[in-house]
Amino acid sequence: MLYKSIIRPLLFRMRPEQAHRFTFAFLKFTNYIPLLRAFIRNRYQFEETQLICKGIVCKNRIGLSAGMDKGAEVFNELADYGFGFIEVGTVTPDPCEGNPRPRIFRLPKCDALIARTGFNNPGLKTVKQRLAHRAGRVTLGVNINKNPQSTGQQAVDELLHMLTELSTRADYFTLNWGSMDAPLMEQVLTALVERRASLPMRRPILLKLPGDITPEGMDEVLATIARHGLDGVIATGPTTDRSLLRRYTKAELEAIGSGGISGKAMGLKSYFAVDYLRKHGGPDLLIIGAGGVMTPADAERMIRMGADFVQIYSAFIHEGPGIVPQMVVRVGEME
Ligand SMILES: Cc1cc2nc3c(=O)[nH]c(=O)nc-3n(C[C@H](O)[C@H](O)[C@H](O)COP(=O)(O)O)c2cc1C
């Protein structure tokens, strides 16, 4: 109530990245007032449970998607709001500016966002340092990628370096399917799996699929997972399909320009993907359902379609932090 009636209108008066910085400043500020942090934790976390599912140990099945805390600045504070796990990144070896601003656009009439941020992040060294300050109870995924310009063996070496450097600090790794061409992806996965075998901790490696993936594309992903012995998928990231942004004119959307669509306007794409992947990938495949999960009923539907875990991003922006415990309870009632 408070979020939708007061906080969101204030935040939505700011530009999206300004609101993002303001929110992060608030989250960091809560560290200086232990009573405030305790109050927040008390309000948003009510059960100390532990769940072990397909190599991931966490408090509950609702997580935060990559892209919100790209630089691992406030993952401990975000965890106060009840998330079972947080995915930071996308992180690249070197710091990266990302695309020119503006690059995030709210579409409140459709509970959606359009983003073309690129991989803006402070780079591996900074993220590694920040992850050292992880509070014990936070389960962390790290979404990794190569530097944008890197190709061939250099890209492979960069990703190997990321995996090695972060293997004791992450609970799982994600790689975005489609972020490099198929032969390079094949080379990268072969190298990552081989390196993982020599590391002290075996961390799940997941492929995050684009919202527009076809059944043929998913078959290819499943074959890749089987070939390399990967662990699972995140289904899905944003879509490029704008057909559900009906409350905006063509001119308004053209003025925004390119970008992936997140939130309610993704429709049911990710649910169909999860359903397909579970049916064709079998019961052991780890599936995180993401994309367009806006309500507790959506989270429940994702689990019913076959997801082991659920991730949200847009719902946190549009509905506020109260949505997290609501989803946790709804999904918890299914156990
Ligand atoms: C502003 C913004 C930045 C994002 N950055 C990343 C990113 O760096 N890496 C990534 O894998 N996904 C990124 N995403 C995609 C989200 O992780 C998520 O897959 C997508 O928003 C769909 O989920 P939702 O409908 O719950 O928002 C980003 C999304 C938004 C809106």
Side-chain angles (χ1 to χ4, degrees):
M1 275 305 269
L2 181 70
Y3 180 80
K4 279 201 161 170
S5 57
I6 298 175
I7 299 171
R8 188 174 81 172
L10 283 173
L11 289 174
F12 277 25
R13 286 174 82 96
M14 303 175 199
R15 288 188 301 277
E17 290 200 52
Q18 204 181 2
H20 192 262
R21 280 194 299 279
F22 180 83
T23 308
F24 273 33
F26 168 76
L27 290 170
K28 288 176 187 171
F29 170 73
T30 61
N31 275 316
Y32 296 101
I33 310 189
L35 267 179
L36 178 58
R37 264 193 94 177
F39 170 78
I40 294 168
R41 272 190 214 141
N42 205 29
R43 183 161 155 63
Y44 293 96
Q45 304 178 13
F46 30 81
E47 266 184 273
E48 273 306 322
T49 49
Q50 198 194 44
L51 181 87
I52 304 174
C53 178
K54 299 181 184 171
I56 304 221
V57 182
C58 57
K59 282 193 299 184
N60 63 65
R61 295 181 195 272
I62 307 297
L64 179 67
S65 283
M68 177 127 4
D69 193 5
K70 288 182 191 253
E73 278 179 78
V74 288
F75 57 89
N76 284 316
E77 293 81 355
L78 281 165
D80 289 348
Y81 290 85
F83 288 110
F85 60 105
I86 308 263
E87 186 168 319
V88 300
T90 300
V91 186
T92 51
D94 297 334
C96 186
E97 285 286 321
N99 291 323
R101 291 173 203 190
R103 51 196 179 182
I104 307 177
F105 305 86
R106 299 186 195 101
L107 295 111
K109 286 187 272 180
C110 293
D111 285 350
L113 293 163
I114 293 184
R116 51 167 181 273
T117 51
F119 292 143
N120 54 312
N121 78 96
L124 172 64
K125 193 171 163 220
T126 304
V127 168
K128 188 181 172 193
Q129 279 164 3
R130 290 178 178 162
L131 294 184
H133 302 290
R134 145 187 187 173
R137 58 205 160 73
V138 186
T139 300
L140 276 179
V142 184
N143 188 307
I144 54 173
N145 216 315
K146 63 184 185 62
N147 286 324
Q149 328 73 9
S150 304
T151 53
Q153 191 55 41
Q154 188 183 351
V156 176
D157 291 343
E158 286 177 358
L159 279 156
L160 280 178
H161 185 57
M162 304 274 291
L163 182 85
T164 311
E165 288 291 297
L166 297 174
S167 69
T168 54
R169 309 222 164 149
D171 295 297
Y172 70 87
F173 289 95
T174 305
L175 213 60
N176 284 17
W177 181 255
S179 62
M180 54 195 96
D181 63 36
L184 181 56
M185 182 60 101
E186 192 64 22
Q187 228 182 313
V188 163
L189 293 175
T190 306
L192 286 181
V193 169
E194 197 185 306
R195 173 65 56 87
R196 177 173 68 168
S198 67
L199 294 172
M201 316 262 197
R202 188 196 183 281
R203 301 304 191 198
I205 299 177
L206 311 181
L207 297 174
K208 180 169 177 178
L209 314 187
D212 303 306
I213 193 153
T214 59
E216 295 73 35
M218 287 188 272
D219 289 340
E220 200 186 318
V221 169
L222 291 173
T224 305
I225 287 175
R227 197 162 56 246
H228 292 284
L230 301 178
D231 303 84
V233 290
I234 301 184
T236 65
T239 173
T240 54
D241 177 3
R242 299 190 165 195
S243 60
L244 291 181
L245 294 172
R246 290 192 200 101
R247 294 183 181 181
Y248 291 86
T249 62
K250 202 167 167 241
E252 283 171 319
L253 295 175
E254 275 172 9
I256 289 175
S258 66
I261 292 137
S262 304
K264 198 170 176 181
M266 287 192 62
L268 295 176
K269 284 180 195 307
S270 53
Y271 300 85
F272 290 136
V274 167
D275 185 42
Y276 186 92
L277 290 160
R278 177 57 73 216
K279 283 181 180 144
H280 294 80
D284 296 335
L285 184 73
L286 195 167
I287 303 182
I288 300 183
V293 179
M294 303 301 287
T295 64
D298 291 345
E300 179 179 340
R301 183 192 294 156
M302 254 315 172
I303 300 283
R304 288 205 188 286
M305 290 288 186
D308 300 295
F309 298 95
V310 173
Q311 274 182 338
I312 61 168
Y313 185 125
S314 304
F316 196 60
I317 307 272
H318 287 277
E319 303 297 323
I323 197 67
V324 183
Q326 285 176 34
M327 287 185 181
V328 171
V329 168
R330 182 72 171 252
V331 164
E333 282 169 358
M334 299 169 70
E335 307 275 344

